[in-house]
Structure formats: C-alpha cells, structure tokens
Amino acid sequence: MVMDEIKKAKLYRQVWQSFAVLTDVRSVGVMGDYRTYGYLIALRAVTSDDAMTADWARLPYDVLSRISSRIINEVPHVNRVVYDITSKPPATIEWE
C-alpha cells in the first residue's frame, strides 16, 4: 500500500526507501460506534545519496493521508498510523 501510493503520486524516484512497520504497540481508537484496541503501524520513507546518512522524505500530506486511510481500512486490527521523521543519524533507516 505504501509503495502503491508513492508510485501513484509519482514520487518513486525521489524516495530511496519506504516501508511500513507493524509494531507491537497497541492503541485505543474508535471505529464506527465501538472502541478498539488495535496495533500501530509506523511509516518510514527516506532519501539518501550514500546510505551512510539519510533524511526523512517530505511526503505530501495528501499522500500520507491516502496511505493511512488504506492501512486503517484494509489491514485488520490496526487503528493508528504514524510517520517516522527521524534522520540517520541518530536513527538507523530500518526498524529493528
């Protein structure tokens, strides 16, 4: 879903890596008239020239919104999507 929306927005060549991480963090939310206790997905997209350093990709809000909506509506038991804006360093590109 992440890659689909990045390609649709014609941003594929501008982003060095992009992916979604299913975390073990649970979050309270509301879907319809019911409270949910679902999982959190973190999105990560970076730009880089050398892989030694990387900066978070400034994806347009409408692209992030479409990705978030698709994940919430299409992935069971997920009720929150966050965007990781940490550069490398101090963080690594991948989540481990």
Side-chain angles (χ1 to χ4, degrees):
M1 289 176 224
V2 175
M3 190 64 63
D4 286 347
E5 295 301 329
I6 287 174
K7 286 179 178 178
K8 282 182 192 175
K10 300 187 181 355
L11 297 170
Y12 183 75
R13 297 262 180 227
Q14 297 170 11
V15 175
W16 191 68
Q17 279 189 17
S18 61
F19 52 90
V21 179
L22 176 61
T23 71
D24 61 354
V25 175
R26 309 259 331 249
S27 174
V28 175
V30 176
M31 291 184 164
D33 294 332
Y34 301 97
R35 291 181 72 122
T36 62
Y37 191 57
Y39 289 96
L40 178 146
I41 287 187
L43 302 178
R44 182 86 161 128
V46 297
T47 59
S48 181
D49 293 325
D50 58 9
M52 296 303 293
T53 61
D55 196 15
W56 60 280
R58 271 69 171 177
L59 297 179
Y61 292 143
D62 61 323
V63 174
L64 290 171
S65 177
R66 284 194 304 273
I67 293 169
S68 175
S69 292
R70 283 195 60 193
I71 290 171
I72 294 299
N73 290 313
E74 298 177 35
V75 180
H77 311 294
V78 171
N79 68 0
R80 186 173 306 265
V81 176
V82 298
Y83 189 49
D84 182 348
I85 61 167
T86 312
S87 296
K88 176 190 176 184
T92 59
I93 294 171
E94 295 80 12
W95 279 48
E96 298 175 30

